[in-house]
Each structure stands twice: as structure tokens, then as C-alpha cells.
Amino acid sequence: MKQAEIKKLSVSELQEQLADTKKSYADLKMAHAVSPLDNPIQLRNVRRSVARIATELTKREIQ
């Protein structure tokens, strides 16, 4: 998910998206542990999406 897309979402949508993305990351990690993924870079991309969403939520809490 791109930063521009994240900025357009509301706080509740961000929290929902964060939960979904974290679950997706956990599922990918488990699948990768059992058998290697075809594209292991997916893990990095999902992890960075989690960080982007969490950063935006923190930024909005501060304001």
C-alpha cells in the first residue's frame, strides 16, 4: 500500500487495514516457514506496509 493511499483513509479504516495487514504478514511468515515462498520479497513488502500504516496512525495521534 502506497503512502498516498494511506493518507486518504480515516483512522478507523487505518486500524482495520493494520489488523488485516498484520494477519496477512503472519500468514505469509508461516507459509514461508513451512515451504519457501515463490516470491519471498512479499514478506518485505507486507512488513513495510504494516510500518507505513502504523506510522500514519501514530502521526495522527500526535496531531
Side-chain angles (χ1 to χ4, degrees):
M1 188 170 234
K2 299 292 181 186
Q3 190 65 27
E5 296 171 359
I6 292 172
K7 287 183 178 184
K8 293 178 184 176
L9 298 175
S10 69
V11 174
S12 61
E13 290 172 332
L14 282 173
Q15 290 171 340
E16 182 179 320
Q17 189 69 33
L18 181 62
D20 291 343
T21 310
K22 280 185 176 181
K23 183 179 180 336
S24 171
Y25 180 64
D27 292 343
L28 276 174
K29 273 182 64 173
M30 185 61 71
H32 187 62
V34 172
S35 65
L37 294 174
D38 292 335
N39 186 6
I41 294 176
Q42 286 176 320
L43 288 169
R44 178 175 41 179
N45 293 337
V46 174
R47 186 175 66 241
R48 288 181 179 177
S49 290
V50 168
R52 283 187 190 106
I53 295 168
T55 300
E56 184 65 25
L57 278 171
T58 304
K59 188 171 104 176
R60 290 185 186 186
E61 285 176 6
I62 292 172
Q63 290 178 355

